[in-house]
């Protein structure tokens, strides 16, 4: 008879069992002893000739033994090392499941469960804004150094007024260091000085990452969590397409298009900024999208 169980090969040995249990139940001292041997991830064994009672007992014992041998290789259900934070489920296959893992290149995202149970849910607001209209590429002018047009300045002023009217004024601003994003923010500060009282960070990486497929959300998340405080209720991120549309769409779970000078206003209930930014099972609610009136071509 051949037995297969849970990724461990069991092979019989022709040794007599000295176990009194076998002898007392079967009356047969010529019972073969089964020894586990790992062979190509399968379980095979000759249980020998024994009555049904002994075979059942031995099979149960072997099943438990083989589960133990494979516990660090294959998991079923919620195994040892399973981390579930309500955001991202991650199997950390380790011996002790001690320290949570951190994904390479994104130090703000960890696999451990850091969400306090039953904590207070508060509103977290995120303004995803694209820079305003800038001059076309000209010979000798780098893309990074393109300034705003006059229409671009007007559009930036309209966006600042709208955010003020909606009471979506940020306390933290993460902004690309390009000329057009800096000038967009400068114009907004002229219209509404509150933008100037926010904590502002000009980050070269926000200019670069926006050109990469599918990288902007995780990069913004890491940059934001590194700088935000829990007393902050509203954060504005200003940058470029295609990354800004991708990130806003990913966060909201719906397709969002952002023309120059437009902004998506997103909101999420969470116990912390970390909780809100790392959420993957729920999406940020789109509270508004600031569109702009443009001069006819």
């Amino acid at each position: 008879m051949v037995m297969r169980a849970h990724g461990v090969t069991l092979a019989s040995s022709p040794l007599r069992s000295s176990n009194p249990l076998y002898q007392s139940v079967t009356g047969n001292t010529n019972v073969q002893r089964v020894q586990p041997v790992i062979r190509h991830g399968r379980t095979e064994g000759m249980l020998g000739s024994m009555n049904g009672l002994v075979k059942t007992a031995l099979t149960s014992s072997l099943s438990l033994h083989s589960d133990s041998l494979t516990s660090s290789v294959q998991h079923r259900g919620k195994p040892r090392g399973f981390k579930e934070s309500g955001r991202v489920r991650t199997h950390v296959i380790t011996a002790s499941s001690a320290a949570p893992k951190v994904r390479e290149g994104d130090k703000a995202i960890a696999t451990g469960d850091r969400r306090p149970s039953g904590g207070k849910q508060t509103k977290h607001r995120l303004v995803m804004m694209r820079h305003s209209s800038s001059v076309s590429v000209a010979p000798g002018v780098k893309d990074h150094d393109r300034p705003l047009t006059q229409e671009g300045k007007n559009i930036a002023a309209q966006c600042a007024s709208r955010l003020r009217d909606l009471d979506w004024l940020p306390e933290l601003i993460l902004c690309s260091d390009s000329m057009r994003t800096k000038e967009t923010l400068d114009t907004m500060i002229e219209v509404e000085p509150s933008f100037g009282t926010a904590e502002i960070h000009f980050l070269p990486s926000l200019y670069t990452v926006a050109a990469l497929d599918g990288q902007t959300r995780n990069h913004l998340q890491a940059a934001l969590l590194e700088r935000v405080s829990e007393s902050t209720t509203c954060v504005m991120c200003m940058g470029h397409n295609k990354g800004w549309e991708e990130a806003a769409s990913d966060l909201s779970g719906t397709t969002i298009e952002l023309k120059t000078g437009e902004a998506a206003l997103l909101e999420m209930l969470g116990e912390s900024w970390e909780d809100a930014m790392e959420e993957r099972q729920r999406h940020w609610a789109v509270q508004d999208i600031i569109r702009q009136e443009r001069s006819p071509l």
Side-chain angles (χ1 to χ4, degrees):
M1 177 177 177
V2 176
M3 176 179 172
R4 307 175 186 277
H6 306 292
V8 176
T9 299
L10 299 172
S12 65
S13 117
L15 301 177
R16 290 179 179 272
S17 173
S18 59
N19 191 326
L21 173 62
Y22 293 145
Q23 299 174 14
S24 62
V25 174
T26 66
N28 183 5
T29 61
N30 190 24
V31 179
Q32 292 179 313
R33 186 172 63 199
V34 177
Q35 295 178 328
V37 179
I38 297 177
R39 183 183 301 153
H40 303 299
R42 309 189 66 172
T43 301
E44 298 177 357
M46 293 297 295
L47 297 182
S49 59
M50 58 183 70
N51 64 24
L53 179 61
V54 175
K55 191 181 340 183
T56 301
L58 183 55
T59 300
S60 299
S61 175
L62 292 173
S63 178
L64 292 173
H65 181 63
S66 61
D67 279 345
S68 176
L69 288 174
T70 60
S71 64
S72 63
V73 178
Q74 183 179 6
H75 297 302
R76 292 178 173 82
K78 289 187 179 179
R80 203 159 38 108
F82 181 85
K83 306 291 183 181
E84 180 176 355
S85 61
R87 300 175 291 279
V88 184
R89 296 183 176 186
T90 305
H91 284 78
V92 184
I93 303 176
T94 62
S96 62
S97 303
K101 232 178 185 178
V102 179
R103 289 207 297 259
E104 184 65 26
D106 193 353
K107 64 183 178 181
I109 308 176
T111 61
D113 187 358
R114 295 171 307 279
R115 175 188 291 185
S117 59
K120 182 181 178 181
Q121 300 281 311
T122 57
K123 289 182 180 180
H124 297 81
R125 290 179 165 183
L126 184 62
V127 180
M128 292 291 295
M129 182 173 178
R130 186 181 173 192
H131 65 81
S132 201
S133 303
S134 57
V135 300
S136 300
V137 176
V141 179
K142 296 179 180 179
D143 177 79
H144 186 275
D145 299 331
R146 290 191 289 126
L148 295 187
T149 61
Q150 184 57 51
E151 181 184 38
K153 293 180 180 180
N154 295 339
I155 288 174
Q158 292 173 24
C159 188
S161 297
R162 182 66 175 149
L163 286 170
R164 178 188 58 204
D165 294 344
L166 293 172
D167 196 23
W168 275 64
L169 297 175
E171 300 126 285
L172 173 66
I173 299 174
L174 305 181
C175 184
S176 161
D177 71 339
S178 72
M179 178 68 72
R180 53 191 180 276
T181 48
K182 286 182 176 180
E183 289 192 354
T184 299
L185 184 56
D186 286 344
T187 303
M188 296 175 74
I189 291 172
E190 290 175 6
V191 173
E192 176 50 59
S194 294
F195 286 98
T197 64
E199 180 182 338
I200 300 172
H201 296 270
F202 294 104
L203 305 177
S205 63
L206 299 189
Y207 173 79
T208 305
V209 76
L212 304 177
D213 288 332
Q215 301 297 311
T216 302
R217 175 180 178 170
N218 283 345
H219 186 83
L220 280 177
Q221 177 174 308
L224 186 153
L225 293 179
E226 186 177 344
R227 295 166 177 84
V228 74
S229 67
E230 287 308 319
S231 61
T232 301
T233 59
C234 184
V235 177
M236 182 167 75
C237 298
M238 186 183 297
H240 313 262
N241 271 351
K242 57 187 174 180
W244 252 242
E245 286 183 342
E246 285 183 350
S249 299
D250 191 17
L251 288 163
S252 65
T254 187
T255 301
I256 293 179
E257 295 182 2
L258 295 174
K259 296 181 179 179
T260 50
E262 296 184 343
L265 279 51
L266 310 180
E267 189 173 88
M268 169 70 84
L269 282 174
E271 297 171 20
S272 65
W273 274 101
E274 184 177 50
D275 176 74
M277 291 301 296
E278 293 185 6
E279 177 63 66
R280 291 298 194 273
Q281 296 181 3
R282 294 181 296 134
H283 291 110
W284 289 65
V286 181
Q287 297 299 324
D288 204 346
I289 297 181
I290 298 178
R291 303 295 187 190
Q292 301 295 346
E293 297 180 4
R294 299 172 187 273
S295 301
L297 298 176

